[in-house]
Amino acid sequence: MGEKIKGVGFFGLVGMVVSSCIGSGVFAISGQIGQVASPGAALIAWLVCGLGFLCLALSLANLGAKCPDSDGAIAYAEDGFGKFAGFISGWGYWLSAWLGNVAFATMIANTLGTNECLGTLLPGVFSADGNPAVGGVIVISVLLWLITFLVINGVESAAGLNAVVMVVKVVSIAALIMFCVIAFQAATFTDDFWGNATRNMAVMAEGISEEGLGSIGNQITNCILIMMWVFIGIEGASVMSKRAAKKSEVGSATVLGLIVLLVLYIGASILPYGAVPYEALITADNPATVTIFETIAPGWGGAFISWAIIISVVGSWLSFTMLPAETTSMMADHGILPKVWDKRNEKNAPKVSLLIVGACTEVFIIVATFSSSAYDFAFSMCTVAIVITWSLAAAYQVKYSAQHKEMGQLLLGVIALTFQIVGVLFNGYGFLLLTCLGYVPGFFFYKKAREENGATVTKNEYVFALIIGCLGVLGVVLNLMGVISVF
């Protein structure tokens, strides 16, 4: 009698959620949030984001259980709204995945350039003014193509490497939180808890913002896009629902994974308010975690967390190199991208797709260095792109639940969809317009794919494509005019 395949257990599903989400963001988030919000406003923002992502995660878990034959979060748009919506969802996920790799690359260059890493030995070689310098661009470009080569040759399945990276991530974040707890001073934390006095003046004095932190509502809004970035991967358990030992555990595993993430994220971003002087927090070079740890544990803390960041980010980069290629392979299988995107080599890797991803990442690594903050630009573009996929999945949750008269699930979908749309429109609409431009080349591939499959692009699809393209051009014009600032 053959051995019964048990599938992925409960804690395996929890691990998928946690490991998929933890990347570079957690190491930068303390400084990013510190520059835009007080402790009180940041805590409220975490509450809002936690609720929004809980509803999204539960929506994805519900769809995974109710639609087991679907290809997961990326395909829900096609299931609910047709081929063109499936293309919009998949292309957005593809853009998001490799733009995330641009953020990983800039994070590595910035970390190498800190004084606690190699900045003292090689000043200005890896980073300058918060962006990769020429030396940094060369190093991360070599790393980009090395990772691409390894994935083309099947290294993405190295479970041992992923396990090591996961341990480094968790141990380094736990160490940061532990030392922040030891150094925590309640008086420092509660001083100007809502950002109306000393913290507000500090932000203006350091030239971070001429208007200071602003109202509590403004502070919360400015946190949302930053916080959204660190939840990319929350769909991990729902994607694995087909392999779950018990599909009924997907929802509870997602909730527990989200709680673990919130504990880690809140600890890493909120505790530093009471562990280091506020001026040090908001003026810290990116990633701020290096400065924070060095301040608390001088002589070794900065170096420890620097190399932990590099190991963690390289591991995430390796994993996320395959994601966009697998996405486009699935899209080619569904007939919404040309078949060449799923052309595989003898290692069963989609070589053409991987090379396209590598080329796009290389171009944006170079382009991003000319922005005011390469890391902020890359993670913002990445986040806005994946919100398109999340929003379409949430919209399908609303449609499916309404059709089956499941009012509780309908409410979850409505909250998740509202959170995604409002979050981007309030704080990232400029990046959303620029992301629309990224769809323009994709439309030509979509047209070719439809022709390959004996179908044609409909009039309505042409109209939607034209509108999206015009929005992209509008984003460029508004940015050049200075009406919006995303670059």
Side-chain angles (χ1 to χ4, degrees), residues 460-480:
N460 287 340
E461 290 173 348
Y462 274 119
V463 171
F464 279 119
L466 179 62
I467 292 172
I468 293 171
C470 289
L471 288 174
V473 174
L474 176 63
V476 174
V477 172
L478 292 178
N479 190 60
L480 292 174

Side-chain angles (χ1 to χ4, degrees), residues 77 85 88-93 95 383-394 420 424 432 435-436 439:
I88 295 297
S89 174
W91 194 259
Y93 196 87
L95 288 171
T383 304
V384 168
I386 201 171
V387 164
I388 296 170
T389 304
W390 285 339
S391 297
L392 286 168
Q420 299 298 329
V424 167
L432 180 60
T435 300
C436 288
Y439 276 90

Side-chain angles (χ1 to χ4, degrees), residues 242-291:
K242 287 184 179 180
R243 301 182 186 179
K246 296 180 181 178
K247 283 188 170 61
S248 59
E249 293 181 337
V250 172
S252 54
T254 300
V255 173
L256 180 57
L258 184 63
I259 292 172
V260 172
L261 288 169
L262 283 171
V263 169
L264 293 175
Y265 291 160
I266 292 174
S269 62
I270 300 298
L271 288 175
Y273 279 105
V276 297
Y278 185 61
E279 289 76 11
L281 180 63
I282 62 177
T283 57
D285 292 331
N286 194 33
T289 305
V290 176
T291 299

Side-chain angles (χ1 to χ4, degrees), residues 35-351:
Q35 290 182 350
V36 299
S38 60
L43 284 170
I44 295 175
W46 277 120
L47 178 63
V48 172
C49 278
L51 177 61
F53 278 103
L54 175 62
C55 291
L56 175 64
L58 291 177
S59 295
L60 294 174
N62 175 62
L63 292 173
K66 302 288 178 56
C67 310
D69 295 329
S70 178
D71 280 327
I74 305 169
Y76 292 146
E78 181 182 348
D79 296 342
F81 310 104
K83 291 287 186 182
F84 189 71
F87 164 77
I88 295 297
S89 174
W91 194 259
Y93 196 87
W94 178 76
L95 288 171
S96 174
W98 64 261
L99 283 167
N101 289 339
V102 177
F104 293 154
T106 57
M107 171 69 78
I108 289 174
N110 289 342
T111 304
L112 288 172
T114 60
N115 291 334
E116 292 77 14
C117 193
L118 299 178
T120 301
L121 295 175
L122 300 169
V125 171
F126 299 107
S127 66
D129 299 324
N131 283 357
V134 174
V137 170
I138 293 173
V139 169
I140 57 183
S141 295
V142 170
L143 186 57
L144 160 66
W145 290 108
L146 176 61
I147 290 174
T148 302
F149 173 79
L150 291 175
V151 174
I152 287 175
N153 285 275
V155 172
E156 78 283 355
S157 61
L161 177 61
N162 289 331
V164 170
V165 170
M166 185 60 198
V167 169
V168 171
K169 288 180 183 179
V170 174
V171 169
S172 58
I173 297 169
L176 170 68
I177 292 173
M178 181 183 69
F179 275 83
C180 282
V181 169
I182 294 172
F184 189 84
Q185 295 181 10
T188 302
F189 181 73
T190 57
D191 179 39
D192 195 18
F193 190 69
W194 298 107
N196 298 318
T198 56
R199 296 186 194 274
N200 196 49
M201 295 300 296
V203 169
M204 290 189 288
E206 296 295 341
I208 296 170
S209 172
E210 294 180 359
E211 300 175 355
L213 295 176
S215 67
I216 294 176
N218 186 65
Q219 294 177 49
I220 294 170
T221 301
N222 288 337
C223 287
I224 298 298
L225 197 63
I226 298 170
M227 293 177 177
M228 279 183 163
W229 158 242
V230 297
F231 285 106
I232 292 179
I234 195 66
E235 67 277 2
S238 69
V239 171
M240 290 292 291
S241 61
K242 287 184 179 180
R243 301 182 186 179
K246 296 180 181 178
K247 283 188 170 61
S248 59
E249 293 181 337
V250 172
S252 54
T254 300
V255 173
L256 180 57
L258 184 63
I259 292 172
V260 172
L261 288 169
L262 283 171
V263 169
L264 293 175
Y265 291 160
I266 292 174
S269 62
I270 300 298
L271 288 175
Y273 279 105
V276 297
Y278 185 61
E279 289 76 11
L281 180 63
I282 62 177
T283 57
D285 292 331
N286 194 33
T289 305
V290 176
T291 299
I292 293 169
F293 217 138
E294 180 65 21
T295 302
I296 298 172
W300 66 272
F304 165 77
I305 202 70
S306 293
W307 292 107
I309 291 171
I310 292 171
I311 294 171
S312 300
V313 173
V314 168
S316 296
W317 193 350
L318 179 62
S319 298
F320 272 73
T321 294
M322 201 60 191
L323 268 180
E326 287 298 317
T327 299
T328 51
S329 293
M330 183 272 288
M331 293 172 69
D333 183 59
H334 284 220
I336 51 181
L337 277 183
K339 293 181 176 61
V340 69
W341 287 76
D342 193 30
K343 186 177 181 180
R344 295 177 178 266
N345 61 12
E346 63 279 3
K347 300 287 187 179
N348 198 35
K351 183 177 179 179

